[in-house]
Amino acid sequence: MLGGVGATLLLVFALESAIDRRAEDRARAETFRVGGVLRSQMEQDLTATILLQKGLAAQFATNPEMTPADFEAFARDLMVGARHVRNLGFSRGTVIADVYPRSGNAAAIGTDYRTLADQWPAIERAIASRSSLLTGPVKLIQGGIGLIGRTPVFRSPPSGPPGSGEFLGIVSVVISLDSLWTRLNLAQIEENQRIALRGVDGQGAGGSVFYGDPSLFAGDAVLLGVVLPGGTWQLAIAPKPGALPPELLAARWLGIAAALLAGLAAFLLVRYVEQGRRARRRVAESEERFRDFAESSADWFWETGPDHRFVWMSVQAESVIGRPVESVIGQRCVDFAGGDHSNQLWRRHLQELDARHAFRDFVFPADTARGRLWIRASGVPVMAPDGSFLGYRGSASDITERESERARLADALHQAEAANQAKNSFLAQMSHELRTPLNAIIGFAELISGQLLGPAANERYRAYAGDILASGRHLLSLVNDLLDIGRIESGQLRLQSEEVALPALVADAVSMITPSAEKAGLSLDVDVPDLPKLEADPRALMQILVNLLTNAVKFTPPGGKIRVAGKLEEAGSILLSVADTGVGIDPDDLARVLQPFEQGESTLVRTRGGAGLGLPIAKGLMQLHGGTLTIESWLGGGTIVTCRFPPSRIRRSRARLLAT
């Protein structure tokens, strides 16, 4: 009797254990499915959002001197229909120049990325790699927590690959985490699953946990990699412990009842154990399939045999290709897409398949019932336990809209470059056409004004000739400025570098400006020590100094002071500054006055006139030297313009310079 009871209890325990394992296997298979879908949605939403900043980067690269109005108009168009975007922004160099929308985000304007200790290493990595990078979550300057996608922008030189020139700045997009979590339905998913994410700043498994319980990564949770621009996250997902499904609960009681029938106990046990073994084998195969799908991440799944012909495809593909998936079974991918076997794209892909290599993000055109589409596919080879090749499993997604957007942006970039080239050609041609008659006018005016052929019959003729001479020289200067700004913007201006003694060059520039300063009732002070010699273009440096000094004289009232100073920084850079006690510039206008043909709004500025090219030319020439030009100014408080020459422009070693 006791033996029968013991056997019955042992059978009941075995049945309950089998049911629990079956429930666990089913829950884990569901976890793989949910995790794969969640990861795919994350990648799609974040990649689509990062494409916005690529559009802004293309605009910035073609229009480096982009005005706030240009930026606002372009950013407004980009954000139409965009998901999760809190704001777009761009920096000049490492200083944030503008954001859109400004409301709620203006606090970020003027921030130097180098002062953000928690963000600068990732930003510096993006600049060094010349690629987009998704950072965060981070604490935002304007308040709150978010993700930030950043793309460094580089000038495209006339000769050389696009984007291989000097660093212009960074375009960024701030992504709202709350919006992203809502879009992913995390609250609903977490009713049945436990979720955690790690990999701050795209550092994958090596990054810290920013969502969920960190202990998930130490357990037996499913771990999936989330591919981001410039990095990865790692997703951990595990089923929540809970009650058995109704069908398994019913099976438990039926098993107990059956176990009580002594005559059927052995039969039921053997049968149930065999069914459990088969069920676990099917679950293991299903788990392996879903793991392969999750690793490749896409919109629909597919499977091929050893001959690379489709043997299965999920029904989600029908809405994309416009025909039943059964019609694709038996075809190879190249045949399904209507591709040419001899085409280099397909030839290389077929070689990769024959080598049984895993592939990711293979993009190809496909002629379907819906027209020509662009498909992105990923896949992994499948091997049998004995090592024989069974085929491929993978996923695919429709990226036609993304490719169309990329083509549109490329076309816009081409049009912008063509327009810029046309403008520069026009300026060069007009400058040449104007300078030829101007040189004649100036020459004859000098002849009459100097009375080289004898005294004028009427003294007023000589005065008129002097006026013509002054006007002609002014117009020639304007034409030269137009030509210079066009050559700088198009990248056609080439420096003729040689060894330059900065104190002597400053002295020459000051001597040229001194008569104008004295006539305006201004005092000139020079404090330039014996600085190291520069490797620079002396004509360009003279033009920078003369432009800055001319502006200082023009916009400083009588009795004011102008000071030219230079010094060597400990870091090895040379600073040269021109300061005045003039009318100053409204801080809101500082970015605008560095644009061609722009000036401040003060009364003195309007009465003194000018084309507004002096500062833009000086800034462009400094950038050609690898340096920077910055302005500090206050209305009524004067202006300080600082030129910083990098250590690479100094001919002597830093150690000798500091010792000197």
Side-chain angles (χ1 to χ4, degrees), residues 25-287:
D25 290 343
R26 181 179 298 182
R28 189 165 182 84
E30 174 65 11
T31 296
F32 268 104
R33 187 192 69 79
V34 172
V37 173
L38 179 59
R39 180 182 70 170
S40 177
Q41 189 65 54
M42 275 189 206
E43 290 180 340
Q44 289 179 19
D45 277 29
L46 292 175
T47 300
T49 304
I50 293 304
L51 281 177
L52 292 178
Q53 73 182 37
K54 295 247 176 141
L56 181 57
Q59 174 70 3
F60 188 18
T62 58
N63 185 12
E65 305 300 337
M66 179 168 54
T67 67
D70 292 339
F71 168 71
E72 180 179 358
F74 194 80
R76 186 189 305 113
D77 290 341
L78 283 179
M79 288 187 65
V80 173
R83 291 194 183 109
H84 319 311
V85 178
R86 175 168 174 173
N87 67 270
L88 295 167
F90 79 103
S91 71
R92 296 191 184 281
T94 59
V95 178
I96 298 176
D98 208 349
V99 296
Y100 178 85
R102 286 197 174 191
S103 176
N105 302 295
I109 298 175
T111 300
D112 192 326
Y113 283 131
R114 293 174 296 182
T115 64
L116 305 178
D118 59 334
Q119 299 184 37
W120 174 242
I123 298 171
E124 194 174 29
R125 190 166 76 247
I127 296 173
S129 65
R130 295 176 175 249
S131 61
S132 299
L133 182 67
L134 183 68
T135 60
V138 298
K139 186 176 181 181
L140 303 174
I141 300 171
Q142 57 269 47
I145 304 294
L147 302 173
I148 305 179
R150 296 186 173 98
T151 297
V153 181
F154 297 83
R155 189 184 297 276
S156 296
S159 58
S164 62
E166 63 180 330
F167 173 61
L168 296 175
I170 298 173
V171 298
S172 61
V173 55
V174 176
I175 300 172
S176 168
L177 277 178
D178 291 340
S179 174
L180 180 60
W181 299 155
T182 301
R183 161 80 171 164
L184 296 175
N185 291 323
L186 287 190
Q188 182 178 351
I189 294 174
E190 287 182 317
E191 292 178 1
N192 299 308
Q193 305 285 343
R194 293 180 296 156
I195 296 173
L197 286 164
R198 67 180 174 185
V200 171
D201 291 342
Q203 297 183 32
S208 57
V209 178
F210 60 88
Y211 184 92
D213 184 3
S215 65
L216 276 179
F217 292 99
D220 60 347
V222 175
L223 301 180
L224 301 173
V226 181
V227 179
L228 307 171
T232 61
W233 288 347
Q234 190 174 56
L235 167 67
I237 181 168
K240 280 187 175 180
L244 290 174
E247 65 273 20
L248 293 182
L249 187 61
R252 169 184 286 176
W253 289 110
L254 288 174
I256 293 174
L260 296 176
L261 300 175
L264 298 177
F267 171 77
L268 292 176
L269 177 61
V270 172
R271 182 178 180 185
Y272 195 88
V273 169
E274 181 61 25
Q275 288 178 342
R277 185 181 299 114
R278 282 194 222 142
R280 282 194 295 276
R281 185 167 60 250
R282 288 195 298 269
V283 169
E285 292 173 354
S286 177
E287 179 179 325

Side-chain angles (χ1 to χ4, degrees), residues 461-507:
Y461 290 156
R462 183 185 177 195
Y464 294 156
D467 292 339
I468 294 172
L469 179 60
S471 298
R473 286 174 174 168
H474 175 72
L475 185 55
L476 182 60
S477 174
L478 177 59
V479 170
N480 288 334
D481 284 348
L482 285 171
L483 185 58
D484 285 341
I485 197 68
R487 292 169 64 200
I488 290 172
E489 288 186 344
S490 64
Q492 296 177 354
L493 184 61
R494 297 289 182 267
L495 297 179
Q496 303 296 324
S497 296
E498 59 184 72
E499 193 175 82
V500 177
L502 201 55
L505 187 137
V506 170

